[in-house]
Amino acid sequence: MTETIQKINIVIVLAPLLAAIIAGLFGRKIGRAGAHWVTNIGVAISFVLSLVVYNHLVSNGAEAINQSVYTWLISDGIRFEIGFLIDNLTAMMMVVVTFVSLMVHIYTIGYMKDDPGYQRFFSYISLFTFSMLMLVMANNFLQLFFGWEAVGLVSYLLIGFWYKKETAIYANLKAFLVNRVGDFGFLLGIAAVLMYFNTLDYAAVFSNVEMHKDLTASLIPGTEWNVITVICILLFIGAMGKSAQVPLHVWLPDSMEGPTPISALIHAATMVTAGIYMVARMSPLYEYSETALSFVLVIGAITALFMGFLGLIQNDIKRVVAYSTLSQLGYMTVALGASAYAAGIFHLMTHAFFKALLFLAAGSVIIAMHHEQDIRKMGGLKKYLPITWITSLIGSLALIGAPGFAGFYSKDSIIEAVGLSNLPGSGFAYACVLMGVFVTALYSFRMYFLVFHGKERMDEHTRSHLHEPSKVVTVPLILLAIPSVLAGAVMVGDMSFGNYFGEAIFVLPQHDVLAELAKDFDGWFSMIIHGMTMPPFWLALGGVLTAWFLYLVKPELPGKIKANFNWLYTLLDNKYYADIFNDWFFAGGTRGIGRNLWQFGDVKIIDGFMVNGTARTIGWFSSMIRHVQSGYLYHYAFAMIFGLLLLFGLFVLD
């Protein structure tokens, strides 16, 4: 059976790659229908086979598979390989990635039906799925880095898919450059692993962590740095870029410039969760550095709360959901910092379902509104879009952690785990994630009420054409709504408080906050009852009621609040001035350096001194020499005699 699973793993990876190649290279020949059929079938094959692998490992309790597929290079005894590590953590990620990707593929048929780049888009999203599978299935750092960069490359292509749109080009360039900053740290971290462990294989690195835990290096003369801490922080800098943590978060809101299906794919199951998965996979390293864990904890807490604040003032329906992604990624990161890796990955899973649901529901609204995205121009859509309305409600309730919905189990597990942590910064993090619950509920239901309830604010032409989109749009919404409700209750016992991940995640006893919480866990229903007595429930309820009062009962109040706190609104509207600072300091500074290098180095040194200066020197020398060419024989004879005397003198002196 193990050999069969190994072959299945190869098919899972190659099916979307082959589909992407066919749709990309032969899109004109197979047509639009051919492109969506071949890519949908490719991802469907990966999804079904991922379920087979999941059943083999999780349901049947089979041992993890660590297989080498291809040896690329052997240098100084170090093997650079392509290989798969398939354990419970990988199996869960494979199912989530392929399921959400399949829903996005189906949805895309309806959303992109009139787009001239139809075949190209399907090729890209199938390639995206292949890249993510290579990342999560890797058994070594080389393949991890390949998948990491491939996901970044395809996201660049997809964010700028509408390449004639200037804002899209700006957004994909921004995403690419910001991720290069994070990836530089990530690559240094991998280099440090290779330098000190002399291998890139996960198993070999993890088995030797303990003997390296006290190893130090002098990065700056006179200082000693713990090697494990340096490696963990460098790797996390990569995660900060991919998973959009402060201050490398600025690219993610602008990624909305791409078509809505890719927004769902980037935010739900692929690129942004890569950093969360990577840190959880590297738990054997992070557990031996409390400094790195505290760093992760604080960065995640800042992202969870302060990115949530930005969602409060957004009027673009997709940007509201985008900022909720930033905030929820912060929650996952906080869980990692508190050593509650299982809860963080559990939230990654539940978030993939309800966030994909919310993005695709937003896309359904955009289709119905003839590509209008401003929520201030909507309202009362409940009666026109009943399926989108109910699925949006389910997604919003899951997002805010309403008891009984998927997000409740994972988010409450994180909050309680952080409350038990005794790492430096845990008190600050706990306050942030608690306040974040109220903020999340407020911006989520602000959007929900403004879009689906209250008075209709669209023009008459738009109103007359309002209707539910086709089934290729609504069926994925229904299919995503089901796990957005049920996934939490089904999996909470195993993922947050059980031993679901086994040896895939390593936690030291002194850091095991989830084990402490597990002592009081008595099933999903008891967790609901307990949760309804805890602060997160009341904070979420307060956020919903505040949104209801401000936007349905007293809709004039938000304008008055804005006028009285205009300084705060300006701060949030300018996104804490992060983009302005980056444009001025980094982009402007880089352009300034380039301009000075051009003016001084190119114009003055190269053109002025070396090129033109050489020409002037040769011209002057030629003007002097040409006087020798007089045409008189005695001048030439004199020059020859003078030269001979000079040579004779040199020989005599020598």
Side-chain angles (χ1 to χ4, degrees):
M1 185 63 182
T2 299
E3 291 184 4
T4 302
I5 295 297
Q6 289 178 344
K7 293 177 181 178
I8 287 174
N9 292 333
I10 297 173
V11 176
I12 289 172
V13 167
L14 293 183
L17 174 62
L18 180 61
I21 292 172
I22 293 172
L25 298 182
F26 307 103
R28 289 186 179 180
K29 291 185 178 180
I30 63 177
R32 298 164 75 89
H36 72 235
W37 272 113
V38 71
T39 51
N40 275 264
I41 290 171
V43 176
I45 290 171
S46 294
F47 171 59
V48 172
L49 293 180
S50 295
L51 290 176
V52 173
V53 173
Y54 185 91
N55 179 68
H56 176 70
L57 284 166
V58 179
S59 302
N60 297 337
E63 292 186 1
I65 297 171
N66 190 353
Q67 67 179 111
S68 176
V69 176
Y70 172 72
T71 299
W72 175 55
L73 179 69
I74 300 176
S75 178
D76 292 333
I78 301 170
R79 302 179 70 88
F80 298 89
E81 297 181 328
I82 300 299
F84 301 138
L85 173 60
I86 312 298
D87 52 21
N88 286 15
L89 173 58
T90 309
M92 188 217 73
M93 290 295 298
M94 289 163 63
V95 171
V96 171
V97 168
T98 53
F99 175 70
V100 174
S101 180
L102 179 59
M103 294 301 101
V104 171
H105 274 69
I106 296 170
Y107 177 92
T108 301
I109 297 172
Y111 191 89
M112 300 290 288
K113 64 180 180 180
D114 297 322
D115 197 285
Y118 192 82
Q119 294 98 314
R120 178 165 57 94
F121 189 83
F122 272 101
S123 176
Y124 285 172
I125 59 175
S126 191
L127 187 61
F128 207 137
T129 307
F130 157 75
S131 303
M132 191 64 187
L133 287 171
M134 286 291 285
L135 189 157
V136 300
M137 294 170 69
N139 71 348
N140 62 82
F141 285 92
L142 174 68
Q143 186 175 328
L144 173 70
F145 186 71
F146 167 79
W148 193 271
E149 292 302 310
V151 168
L153 171 63
V154 185
S155 69
Y156 167 81
L157 296 173
L158 282 164
I159 294 169
F161 180 78
W162 288 320
Y163 55 85
K164 294 182 180 180
K165 187 179 176 184
E166 288 188 11
T167 52
I169 297 303
Y170 177 83
N172 75 346
L173 183 62
K174 187 177 183 180
F176 189 82
L177 292 176
V178 172
N179 274 278
R180 295 290 69 72
V181 175
D183 291 354
F184 180 67
F186 187 61
L187 188 58
L188 288 177
I190 293 175
V193 168
L194 181 60
M195 178 179 178
Y196 286 99
F197 290 88
N198 205 40
T199 181
L200 291 175
D201 183 74
Y202 289 166
V205 171
F206 297 159
S207 63
N208 288 293
V209 172
E210 193 165 0
M211 68 175 62
H212 288 80
K213 65 180 181 180
D214 297 320
L215 189 65
T216 59
S218 180
L219 300 183
I220 301 173
T223 63
E224 291 294 322
W225 295 67
N226 181 273
V227 168
I228 300 297
T229 297
V230 171
I231 290 173
C232 289
I233 290 177
L234 287 173
L235 291 176
F236 182 66
I237 289 172
M240 288 168 66
K242 276 290 181 290
S243 295
Q245 298 296 290
V246 172
L248 301 181
H249 66 282
V250 292
W251 68 271
L252 190 57
D254 288 348
S255 69
M256 298 302 97
E257 293 295 334
T260 297
I262 191 53
S263 300
L265 201 54
I266 288 177
H267 286 243
T270 52
M271 183 171 174
V272 296
T273 58
I276 306 300
Y277 165 79
M278 185 274 293
V279 175
R281 175 61 77 190
M282 300 302 146
S283 59
L285 287 168
Y286 281 87
E287 281 301 288
Y288 287 100
S289 175
E290 290 196 351
T291 302
L293 287 174
S294 291
F295 181 70
V296 172
L297 185 71
V298 171
I299 292 294
I302 293 171
T303 305
L305 180 60
F306 289 91
M307 293 302 103
F309 284 143
L310 296 182
L312 294 171
I313 55 96
Q314 301 299 317
N315 295 313
D316 185 314
I317 188 171
K318 287 172 64 177
R319 283 186 177 268
V320 177
V321 186
Y323 279 106
S324 80
T325 299
L326 281 168
S327 182
Q328 296 309 302
L329 287 167
Y331 276 90
M332 298 175 210
T333 304
V334 166
L336 301 174
S339 291
Y341 305 98
I345 294 295
F346 183 29
H347 196 50
L348 183 157
M349 182 195 75
T350 59
H351 176 264
F353 297 131
F354 63 72
K355 185 51 57 68
L357 172 59
L358 286 171
F359 264 115
L360 298 188
S364 178
V365 170
I366 292 169
I367 293 171
M369 292 289 297
H370 298 283
H371 295 277
E372 175 60 65
Q373 297 183 197
D374 192 335
I375 59 177
R376 295 170 297 184
K377 298 179 182 179
M378 300 179 187
L381 294 182
K382 172 185 174 182
K383 66 180 181 180
Y384 302 105
L385 311 172
I387 296 176
T388 305
W389 164 71
I390 190 63
T391 52
S392 294
L393 177 60
I394 290 170
S396 298
L397 290 171
L399 172 62
I400 71 172
F405 291 82
F408 160 75
Y409 303 98
S410 53
K411 184 184 277 189
D412 268 36
S413 298
I414 292 172
I415 294 171
E416 293 200 32
V418 175
L420 287 179
S421 176
N422 56 11
L423 287 172
S426 57
F428 168 77
Y430 185 64
C432 286
V433 293
L434 268 184
M435 287 189 286
V437 173
F438 175 83
V439 174
T440 301
L442 180 54
Y443 68 66
S444 298
F445 276 84
R446 168 183 176 264
M447 179 183 72
Y448 177 75
F449 290 138
L450 285 176
V451 172
F452 294 103
H453 294 273
K455 67 178 183 179
E456 299 174 3
R457 297 178 297 278
M458 72 287 294
D459 58 61
E460 188 57 39
H461 174 74
T462 302
R463 181 187 291 107
S464 64
H465 290 83
L466 281 172
H467 61 86
E468 197 81 75
S470 62
K471 289 184 178 179
V472 291
V473 173
T474 56
V475 169
L477 295 181
I478 296 168
L479 293 176
L480 284 166
I482 295 169
S484 296
V485 178
L486 300 178
V490 171
M491 301 299 297
V492 63
D494 291 330
M495 285 203 174
S496 280
F497 307 116
N499 192 36
Y500 169 86
F501 294 107
E503 296 181 359
I505 289 177
F506 172 77
V507 184
L508 290 172
Q510 61 267 33
H511 295 160
D512 202 350
V513 289
L514 288 178
E516 189 66 27
L517 286 174
K519 295 176 182 178
D520 298 321
F521 178 73
D522 193 28
W524 64 269
F525 186 73
S526 295
M527 188 173 178
I528 292 177
I529 301 303
H530 172 72
M532 294 178 71
T533 66
M534 299 299 288
F537 169 73
W538 296 105
L539 287 167
L541 181 61
V544 173
L545 292 176
T546 302
W548 169 76
F549 183 75
L550 288 176
Y551 296 99
L552 292 183
V553 179
K554 295 286 185 181
E556 70 278 3
L557 275 181
K560 294 179 180 178
I561 294 172
K562 175 184 174 182
N564 290 329
F565 294 92
N566 191 54
W567 63 271
L568 180 58
Y569 178 85
T570 303
L571 177 67
L572 297 178
D573 190 44
N574 284 289
K575 296 169 281 191
Y576 307 118
Y577 297 98
D579 282 337
I580 294 174
F581 175 78
N582 289 337
D583 285 343
W584 169 74
F585 185 78
F586 291 109
T590 303
R591 288 195 299 269
I593 292 171
R595 189 165 49 250
N596 288 327
L597 287 174
W598 164 63
Q599 291 177 344
F600 181 75
D602 194 24
V603 175
K604 293 184 178 180
I605 301 296
I606 296 175
D607 286 343
F609 178 73
M610 297 178 66
V611 178
N612 295 332
T614 302
R616 283 193 296 269
T617 302
I618 292 172
W620 174 82
F621 185 72
S622 298
S623 67
M624 295 295 103
I625 292 298
R626 68 186 176 85
H627 294 295
V628 177
Q629 303 295 329
S630 63
Y632 293 108
L633 184 60
Y634 63 87
H635 285 170
Y636 301 149
F638 176 77
M640 292 170 63
I641 294 169
F642 180 77
L644 288 171
L645 289 173
L646 184 63
L647 288 172
F648 179 74
L650 289 173
F651 281 119
V652 171
L653 290 174
D654 192 46

